[in-house]
Amino acid sequence: MQLESLVKKFKAKDVKAFEKLYDLYNESVQGVVFNIVREQSIAEEVTQDVFIKAWNNAESYSEKKGRFFTWIINIARNAAIDKVRSKNFKNNAKNLDAEFFVDILENHDSLDIKTDAIGIKNFVNKLKETCIKVIELLYFKGFTQKEVSESLDIPLGTVKTRNRNCINELRIMLK
């Protein structure tokens, strides 16, 4: 079946067309979502939501504005960003311990072979305790600078300065 006619049938709410388009684009959509949310189960959930949203809003797709693939990928990207920005997602991310992320890096489970992640924990551990706290909250737990300020009970400007200085220390160590 030609893609054009498949999309027309999809817009006319043909279930078979939906199934074929799902088969065609499921992996691509899920890949885009996963690159943003970084968790397989959430990526699968958001992917399902994307296809339901596309089905419910099929009439809004216009061939004149672009390809169907581009349209559904944009829906996927926006849905993934919305998920990451959601309060529930942020709260779940805050509950993860920094050790979880260090283990991922040390095991190379989520990095390609060319990425040298060995020793990152050692570099971070060489920093002052104040730096370790700020980096852990900002980069491993996903806190905003304001949230770090409230959590550590220090002024926001101090958080920003420590963050900048600590990152510079890491850069110097890595050179």
Side-chain angles (χ1 to χ4, degrees), residues 2 8 10-11 15 31 42 44 46 56 60 63 77 82 92 94 101-102 105 123-124 127 129 141 145 153 161 170 172:
Q2 293 285 344
K8 284 181 184 176
F10 174 80
K11 287 176 74 172
V15 175
I42 293 174
E44 291 169 3
V46 172
N56 291 335
S60 70
E63 298 85 7
R77 183 181 163 279
D82 289 346
N92 287 338
K94 287 178 189 175
F101 294 100
V102 173
L105 294 175
F123 285 112
V124 172
L127 296 172
E129 185 63 31
K141 294 192 176 181
Q145 289 179 339
D153 196 31
T161 301
L170 279 174
I172 291 167

Side-chain angles (χ1 to χ4, degrees), residues 17-62:
F18 174 86
E19 291 170 354
K20 287 188 185 223
L21 287 170
Y22 181 86
D23 289 341
L24 276 173
Y25 298 126
N26 176 42
E27 288 181 21
S28 297
V29 167
Q30 192 168 332
V32 167
V33 172
F34 180 80
N35 282 332
I36 296 169
V37 300
R38 295 289 183 197
E39 190 173 319
Q40 188 61 36
S41 62
I42 293 174
E44 291 169 3
E45 175 189 326
V46 172
T47 298
Q48 296 299 317
D49 293 343
V50 166
F51 279 94
I52 291 169
K53 189 172 191 174
W55 176 258
N56 291 335
N57 297 302
E59 70 283 347
S60 70
Y61 169 69
S62 171

Side-chain angles (χ1 to χ4, degrees), residues 3 6 28 31-32 39 46 66 72 83 88 97 99 102 114 127-128 149 154 171:
L3 184 60
L6 196 58
S28 297
V32 167
E39 190 173 319
V46 172
I72 201 157
K83 184 68 172 182
N88 187 30
D97 186 37
E99 293 297 317
V102 173
K114 294 179 182 177
L127 296 172
K128 294 178 239 160
S149 168
I154 56 177
R171 283 188 184 126

